[in-house]
Amino acid sequence: MAVKSVQELIAEGVSGRGVLVRSDLNVPLDENGNITDAGRITASVPTLRALVDAGAKVVVAAHLGRPKDGPDPKLSLAPVAAALSEQLGRHVQLAGDVVGTDALARAEGLTDGDVLLLANIRFDPRETSKDDAERLALARALAELVAAPDGSPGAFVSDGFGVVHRKQASVYDIATLLPSYAGTLVAAEIRVLQQLTESTERPYAVVLGGSKVSDKLGVIKSLATKADSIVIGGGMCFTFLAAQGLSVGTSLLEADMVDTCRQLLEDYADVLRLPVDIVVADKFDAAATGEVVAVDAIPDGKMGLDVGPGSVERFAKLLANAKTIFWNGPMGVFEFPAFEAGTRGVAEAIAAATAKGAFSVVGGGDSAAAVRALGLPEDGFSHISTGGGASLEYLEGKPLPGLQVLETGGAQ
């Protein structure tokens, strides 16, 4: 995949030029509006800093959450602007709207090296509209924010890998209007995913967790023909266990996926690897007491909240010999200390394999959050992705609109 990089844009000259950057700043907030994991902000800084240092007038578009009916104070980017200012070491203005009078006035007032963060891009319903004309209208308004006084166009840098699988105004349509480039983060993600799909060193191990089989079905089918082993943990493992005829108590279960899982177990019996024991509890509660039981002995009134120590040992042996590892999804409810051991154990096994020379990719989302929440060193893995859904769709072989449009370089 040949796309122009932000480094090429800077080499062309950006001093005094308006540059719109689509970043992924969709960070988790607690009930008081405090950022609980700033990983995505940190990942966005290299591209922004490079443009700032080169003298560009930078306008950043990003979303937070899924606002339903226009602006929502709880989903304001104000805490993000503050965190981004701290990490960039310079003040980041926050516009009071997306492409309205405040955003336009602030954009016109930018000087070389200034940064303006627009209001949550999803406050404008055109961002996610299914109507091409509506999205294009918003994209034109975004392009106007970075146009020069003489009307010459600015540039667009796509650096939000977590949204490149979405055909949205600030991801796809804007790239049809402006000369377009891949930011540092997006370029790195492309390189890593190409290595996972085109030049994979074997043995190749995949670790999949999370809650739903339906979310991972495509990637299971795609990777089952390429990987030597696929480890299944997290809430999704219970649908597979039910497919084997086992009782899973009150554990998370996708009943309509049981037959599908049964077929997958038949088709890929030599690849799929399931837990051998489970940590169960009476209820989904941080204060609940865990009990380790075999997968064929889950009590009727209990729910599984983590894989057990025997499963971690089994999975760690598989991972120890791997040369390539892709991990997406926690093994259990790692947010509760009593049920973090499975995720921690598997993560440590991946890190140990990495230390021996394996190429390991943490596939974004909850997996990346788990690495940070559990205090594991991020440099213990070859790459930590910022885009869970986008990574999975890439590995499934699905076209990603936000990357496809970059291949043309945008409007020249």
Side-chain angles (χ1 to χ4, degrees), residues 2 19 22 34 68 91 118 150 192 212 229 240 335 382 389:
V19 179
R22 180 44 159 110
N34 299 310
K68 294 180 180 179
H91 176 61
L118 302 176
D150 65 3
V192 166
K212 295 182 178 180
S229 58
F240 279 95
E335 298 90 343
S382 304

Side-chain angles (χ1 to χ4, degrees), residues 97-183:
D97 48 33
V98 178
V99 289
T101 53
D102 189 59
L104 189 58
R106 288 176 182 270
E108 288 176 347
L110 293 177
T111 59
D112 297 5
D114 282 351
V115 182
L116 169 64
L117 176 61
L118 302 176
N120 188 335
I121 190 74
R122 290 185 181 172
F123 284 175
D124 191 317
R126 295 176 294 178
E127 165 71 359
T128 56
S129 174
K130 301 300 182 186
D131 186 313
D132 292 351
E134 289 184 354
R135 292 197 319 275
L136 189 59
L138 175 56
R140 287 196 175 108
L142 289 168
E144 186 180 348
L145 296 176
V146 292
D150 65 3
S152 58
F156 171 63
V157 174
S158 175
D159 206 40
F161 186 76
V163 290
V164 294
H165 57 318
R166 308 294 189 194
K167 195 172 186 179
Q168 297 177 346
S170 68
V171 178
Y172 174 84
D173 299 271
I174 186 66
T176 68
L177 301 176
L178 297 177
S180 299
Y181 306 80

Side-chain angles (χ1 to χ4, degrees), residues 370-388:
V371 169
R372 291 186 280 267
L374 297 175
L376 301 172
E378 294 187 42
D379 59 5
F381 307 89
S382 304
H383 180 76
I384 297 182
S385 176
T386 56

